[in-house]
PDB file of all heavy atoms in Angstrom:
ATOM      1  N   ARG H  76     104.303  82.814  68.127  1.00  0.00           N
ATOM      2  CA  ARG H  76     104.512  84.031  68.924  1.00  0.00           C
ATOM      3  C   ARG H  76     103.398  85.061  68.760  1.00  0.00           C
ATOM      4  O   ARG H  76     102.999  85.706  69.707  1.00  0.00           O
ATOM      5  CB  ARG H  76     105.879  84.640  68.585  1.00  0.00           C
ATOM      6  CG  ARG H  76     107.038  83.791  69.101  1.00  0.00           C
ATOM      7  CD  ARG H  76     108.376  84.522  68.987  1.00  0.00           C
ATOM      8  NE  ARG H  76     108.750  84.796  67.594  1.00  0.00           N
ATOM      9  CZ  ARG H  76     109.344  83.895  66.762  1.00  0.00           C
ATOM     10  NH1 ARG H  76     109.569  82.676  67.184  1.00  0.00           N
ATOM     11  NH2 ARG H  76     109.668  84.259  65.543  1.00  0.00           N
ATOM     12  N   ILE H  77     102.875  85.164  67.556  1.00  0.00           N
ATOM     13  CA  ILE H  77     101.737  86.066  67.309  1.00  0.00           C
ATOM     14  C   ILE H  77     100.533  85.575  68.109  1.00  0.00           C
ATOM     15  O   ILE H  77      99.857  86.340  68.788  1.00  0.00           O
ATOM     16  CB  ILE H  77     101.397  86.167  65.822  1.00  0.00           C
ATOM     17  CG1 ILE H  77     102.527  86.899  65.053  1.00  0.00           C
ATOM     18  CG2 ILE H  77     100.050  86.853  65.601  1.00  0.00           C
ATOM     19  CD1 ILE H  77     102.373  86.857  63.542  1.00  0.00           C
ATOM     20  N   ASN H  78     100.308  84.251  68.100  1.00  0.00           N
ATOM     21  CA  ASN H  78      99.181  83.679  68.843  1.00  0.00           C
ATOM     22  C   ASN H  78      99.345  83.937  70.343  1.00  0.00           C
ATOM     23  O   ASN H  78      98.410  84.304  71.028  1.00  0.00           O
ATOM     24  CB  ASN H  78      99.078  82.168  68.548  1.00  0.00           C
ATOM     25  CG  ASN H  78      97.800  81.552  69.141  1.00  0.00           C
ATOM     26  OD1 ASN H  78      96.723  81.815  68.628  1.00  0.00           O
ATOM     27  ND2 ASN H  78      97.959  80.778  70.169  1.00  0.00           N
ATOM     28  N   ALA H  79     100.583  83.775  70.850  1.00  0.00           N
ATOM     29  CA  ALA H  79     100.825  83.990  72.269  1.00  0.00           C
ATOM     30  C   ALA H  79     100.598  85.463  72.655  1.00  0.00           C
ATOM     31  O   ALA H  79     100.045  85.762  73.708  1.00  0.00           O
ATOM     32  CB  ALA H  79     102.268  83.574  72.611  1.00  0.00           C
ATOM     33  N   ALA H  80     101.013  86.356  71.781  1.00  0.00           N
ATOM     34  CA  ALA H  80     100.790  87.811  72.025  1.00  0.00           C
ATOM     35  C   ALA H  80      99.295  88.117  72.075  1.00  0.00           C
ATOM     36  O   ALA H  80      98.833  88.867  72.943  1.00  0.00           O
ATOM     37  CB  ALA H  80     101.513  88.652  70.989  1.00  0.00           C
ATOM     38  N   LEU H  81      98.585  87.571  71.138  1.00  0.00           N
ATOM     39  CA  LEU H  81      97.124  87.769  71.120  1.00  0.00           C
ATOM     40  C   LEU H  81      96.455  87.168  72.336  1.00  0.00           C
ATOM     41  O   LEU H  81      95.540  87.756  72.920  1.00  0.00           O
ATOM     42  CB  LEU H  81      96.516  87.191  69.842  1.00  0.00           C
ATOM     43  CG  LEU H  81      96.858  87.958  68.546  1.00  0.00           C
ATOM     44  CD1 LEU H  81      96.419  87.160  67.319  1.00  0.00           C
ATOM     45  CD2 LEU H  81      96.216  89.324  68.553  1.00  0.00           C
ATOM     46  N   ARG H  82      96.935  86.000  72.751  1.00  0.00           N
ATOM     47  CA  ARG H  82      96.360  85.338  73.928  1.00  0.00           C
ATOM     48  C   ARG H  82      96.612  86.177  75.192  1.00  0.00           C
ATOM     49  O   ARG H  82      95.720  86.369  76.016  1.00  0.00           O
ATOM     50  CB  ARG H  82      96.958  83.940  74.140  1.00  0.00           C
ATOM     51  CG  ARG H  82      96.396  83.263  75.398  1.00  0.00           C
ATOM     52  CD  ARG H  82      96.667  81.794  75.471  1.00  0.00           C
ATOM     53  NE  ARG H  82      96.107  81.036  74.379  1.00  0.00           N
ATOM     54  CZ  ARG H  82      94.811  80.718  74.235  1.00  0.00           C
ATOM     55  NH1 ARG H  82      93.942  81.149  75.134  1.00  0.00           N
ATOM     56  NH2 ARG H  82      94.407  80.032  73.230  1.00  0.00           N
ATOM     57  N   ARG H  83      97.833  86.740  75.332  1.00  0.00           N
ATOM     58  CA  ARG H  83      98.134  87.606  76.495  1.00  0.00           C
ATOM     59  C   ARG H  83      97.201  88.822  76.484  1.00  0.00           C
ATOM     60  O   ARG H  83      96.692  89.239  77.528  1.00  0.00           O
ATOM     61  CB  ARG H  83      99.594  88.040  76.469  1.00  0.00           C
ATOM     62  CG  ARG H  83     100.548  86.968  76.920  1.00  0.00           C
ATOM     63  CD  ARG H  83     101.957  87.501  77.155  1.00  0.00           C
ATOM     64  NE  ARG H  83     102.519  88.169  75.986  1.00  0.00           N
ATOM     65  CZ  ARG H  83     103.223  87.575  75.015  1.00  0.00           C
ATOM     66  NH1 ARG H  83     103.440  86.288  75.086  1.00  0.00           N
ATOM     67  NH2 ARG H  83     103.728  88.277  74.029  1.00  0.00           N
ATOM     68  N   PHE H  84      96.948  89.381  75.324  1.00  0.00           N
ATOM     69  CA  PHE H  84      96.038  90.517  75.207  1.00  0.00           C
ATOM     70  C   PHE H  84      94.626  90.138  75.676  1.00  0.00           C
ATOM     71  O   PHE H  84      93.999  90.832  76.447  1.00  0.00           O
ATOM     72  CB  PHE H  84      95.992  91.035  73.764  1.00  0.00           C
ATOM     73  CG  PHE H  84      95.041  92.172  73.579  1.00  0.00           C
ATOM     74  CD1 PHE H  84      95.402  93.473  73.886  1.00  0.00           C
ATOM     75  CD2 PHE H  84      93.751  91.938  73.102  1.00  0.00           C
ATOM     76  CE1 PHE H  84      94.492  94.536  73.720  1.00  0.00           C
ATOM     77  CE2 PHE H  84      92.847  92.966  72.931  1.00  0.00           C
ATOM     78  CZ  PHE H  84      93.222  94.264  73.241  1.00  0.00           C
ATOM     79  N   VAL H  85      94.138  88.995  75.182  1.00  0.00           N
ATOM     80  CA  VAL H  85      92.785  88.519  75.528  1.00  0.00           C
ATOM     81  C   VAL H  85      92.706  88.284  77.013  1.00  0.00           C
ATOM     82  O   VAL H  85      91.731  88.701  77.680  1.00  0.00           O
ATOM     83  CB  VAL H  85      92.435  87.267  74.724  1.00  0.00           C
ATOM     84  CG1 VAL H  85      91.184  86.587  75.286  1.00  0.00           C
ATOM     85  CG2 VAL H  85      92.260  87.602  73.255  1.00  0.00           C
ATOM     86  N   GLU H  86      93.705  87.617  77.603  1.00  0.00           N
ATOM     87  CA  GLU H  86      93.676  87.323  79.041  1.00  0.00           C
ATOM     88  C   GLU H  86      93.721  88.584  79.881  1.00  0.00           C
ATOM     89  O   GLU H  86      93.053  88.702  80.893  1.00  0.00           O
ATOM     90  CB  GLU H  86      94.783  86.360  79.395  1.00  0.00           C
ATOM     91  CG  GLU H  86      94.533  84.943  78.868  1.00  0.00           C
ATOM     92  CD  GLU H  86      95.718  84.014  79.054  1.00  0.00           C
ATOM     93  OE1 GLU H  86      96.802  84.482  79.448  1.00  0.00           O
ATOM     94  OE2 GLU H  86      95.548  82.819  78.761  1.00  0.00           O
ATOM     95  N   ALA H  87      94.538  89.526  79.461  1.00  0.00           N
ATOM     96  CA  ALA H  87      94.611  90.819  80.201  1.00  0.00           C
ATOM     97  C   ALA H  87      93.303  91.553  80.112  1.00  0.00           C
ATOM     98  O   ALA H  87      92.824  92.123  81.092  1.00  0.00           O
ATOM     99  CB  ALA H  87      95.729  91.675  79.612  1.00  0.00           C
ATOM    100  N   ASP H  88      92.694  91.548  78.941  1.00  0.00           N
ATOM    101  CA  ASP H  88      91.402  92.202  78.756  1.00  0.00           C
ATOM    102  C   ASP H  88      90.321  91.497  79.551  1.00  0.00           C
ATOM    103  O   ASP H  88      89.466  92.146  80.157  1.00  0.00           O
ATOM    104  CB  ASP H  88      91.030  92.242  77.281  1.00  0.00           C
ATOM    105  CG  ASP H  88      89.807  93.105  77.017  1.00  0.00           C
ATOM    106  OD1 ASP H  88      89.889  94.310  77.336  1.00  0.00           O
ATOM    107  OD2 ASP H  88      88.785  92.587  76.494  1.00  0.00           O
ATOM    108  N   ASP H  89      90.384  90.162  79.622  1.00  0.00           N
ATOM    109  CA  ASP H  89      89.428  89.377  80.387  1.00  0.00           C
ATOM    110  C   ASP H  89      89.504  89.713  81.882  1.00  0.00           C
ATOM    111  O   ASP H  89      88.496  89.872  82.556  1.00  0.00           O
ATOM    112  CB  ASP H  89      89.764  87.894  80.210  1.00  0.00           C
ATOM    113  CG  ASP H  89      88.551  87.048  79.917  1.00  0.00           C
ATOM    114  OD1 ASP H  89      87.512  87.622  79.520  1.00  0.00           O
ATOM    115  OD2 ASP H  89      88.633  85.837  80.086  1.00  0.00           O
TER     116      ASP H  89
END
Side-chain angles (χ1 to χ4, degrees):
R76 289 190 296 279
I77 292 171
N78 190 71
L81 289 169
R82 178 165 301 284
R83 285 191 303 271
F84 177 82
V85 168
E86 289 172 352
D88 189 59
D89 227 17

